[in-house]
Amino acid sequence: MPNLPDHLLRRFTSETRIAFFTGAGISAESGIPTFRDKDGYWSKYDPMRLASVQGFRADPELVWNWYLYRREKILSVKPNPGHISITKFQKLFPDSCVITQNVDGLHEQAGNQNIYELHGNIFITRCLECSQEMDVPIIFNPVTEGIPRCECGGLARPGVVWFGESLPMQTLSDAMTLVQQVDVLFTIGSSTAVYPAAQIPFDARNNGAVVIEINPDQTPFTSHADLAMQAPAGVAMPQLFEELYAALA
Ligand code: OAD
């Protein structure tokens, strides 16, 4: 699919500063469901029951079972050509970062560098009350073993950001600063529906960066993109990389 038009190709040199802004769609080809697609998690489950503090307090076992199921699923998959292309891009464009809404850790597993996880990481466990990170097994049985408790007595919870919670302040502020400085931002596999993260491609565009969207579907950002590639990330990203590699060689 890709074929970058000449006026965009000319914007790339080895010094080009790039941000890869990603959402659940980049992990779809690894076999991880997205949230808002037809078969996405939020078409089957109520986000307020599974991804909010109120939902957790009402039924911590139910919530943990869902996150443990997701942890097991993620442990059974591998990064796909979309993630792996970013590693290759980062060798060609060293001044680059990954700003992700994903909690699955697949960017890191693929060898991506400078990763900002805006919504936390599903493999981290922390205390519901004091937020302290807890060193407990990644997989446990909440029914037979009970939910681990922190030294302060609080229940363990997954280290992800839930609805109604703030994003990790330092990570968000670092990411926002980088977005003001980049020359190019790729927005890959995000519905651009959840704020404040969804502001990122708009901010990059407003600051004069070239913004290229990779998503088989339209999003609220599509009409603002310099280029919208309606293709799966695992197809478009390797092709984009080959094109840029050839152009810069
Ligand atoms: P969504 O599920 O909202 O959007 C996924 C996007 O990926 C959609 O726009 C799809 O069209 C696109 N997509 C699907 N397959 C793709 C593929 N192979 N290649 C490229 N794109 C593809 O996921 P996010 O935008 O990440 O928050 O959602 C944002 C946040 O909402 C998530 O981080 C999560 C959720 O509630 C928390 O858990 C805090």
Side-chain angles (χ1 to χ4, degrees):
M1 141 99 186
N3 256 328
L4 276 177
D6 278 348
H7 74 279
L8 292 184
L9 260 183
R10 279 198 295 273
R11 301 288 290 266
F12 289 87
T13 71
S14 60
E15 262 134 59
T16 301
R17 293 162 296 182
I18 302 183
F20 299 91
F21 172 67
T22 65
I26 196 168
S27 295
E29 289 154 90
S30 291
I32 306 289
T34 62
F35 295 93
R36 290 175 187 76
D37 284 301
K38 191 166 45 66
D39 302 320
Y41 284 130
W42 299 154
S43 70
K44 297 192 203 112
Y45 306 119
D46 175 359
M48 294 320 283
R49 285 186 75 195
L50 295 179
S52 76
V53 171
Q54 303 89 297
F56 184 78
R57 286 196 193 282
D59 195 341
E61 252 178 41
L62 174 89
V63 174
W64 260 119
N65 277 328
W66 188 59
Y67 281 92
L68 289 161
Y69 158 77
R70 286 178 60 199
R71 281 180 174 180
E72 279 179 345
K73 174 95 198 152
I74 294 163
L75 287 171
S76 75
V77 305
K78 290 204 293 278
N80 68 61
H83 303 102
I84 292 162
S85 297
I86 295 180
T87 304
K88 295 185 179 173
F89 264 98
Q90 291 193 298
K91 295 206 170 102
L92 203 54
F93 303 100
D95 199 351
S96 59
C97 66
V98 177
I99 301 173
T100 188
Q101 299 161 90
N102 298 346
V103 297
D104 57 29
L106 291 179
H107 284 297
E108 192 181 355
Q109 216 182 305
N112 298 176
Q113 305 286 320
N114 304 330
I115 304 167
Y116 295 82
E117 291 179 317
L118 297 178
H119 291 165
N121 186 300
I122 197 166
F123 294 108
I124 290 174
T125 300
R126 58 189 175 84
C127 172
L128 177 68
E129 307 304 336
C130 73
S131 297
Q132 181 71 37
E133 263 190 46
M134 294 170 61
D135 186 13
V136 294
I138 286 172
I139 303 295
F140 62 92
N141 186 326
V143 181
T144 56
E145 298 165 38
I147 298 170
R149 283 191 182 268
C150 174
E151 283 168 8
C152 81
L155 278 181
R157 59 162 284 179
V160 300
V161 174
W162 281 333
F163 287 100
E165 292 189 304
S166 303
L167 273 58
M169 220 161 37
Q170 192 62 50
T171 308
L172 179 64
S173 121
D174 289 349
M176 290 299 196
T177 305
L178 282 165
V179 165
Q180 318 257 325
Q181 297 162 354
V182 294
D183 306 302
V184 177
L185 181 136
F186 290 94
T187 172
I188 309 165
S190 177
S191 60
T192 331
V194 176
Y195 281 80
Q199 188 59 40
I200 282 178
F202 289 97
D203 280 358
R205 189 76 190 78
N206 292 339
N207 279 296
V210 168
V211 184
I212 297 172
E213 181 176 72
I214 295 158
N215 194 316
D217 288 335
Q218 302 253 333
T219 74
F221 184 74
T222 305
S223 61
H224 301 266
D226 291 277
L227 184 66
M229 296 184 165
Q230 295 204 310
V235 174
M237 291 296 289
Q239 291 179 11
L240 261 176
F241 172 76
E242 292 303 333
E243 248 176 73
L244 285 164
Y245 185 79
L248 267 65

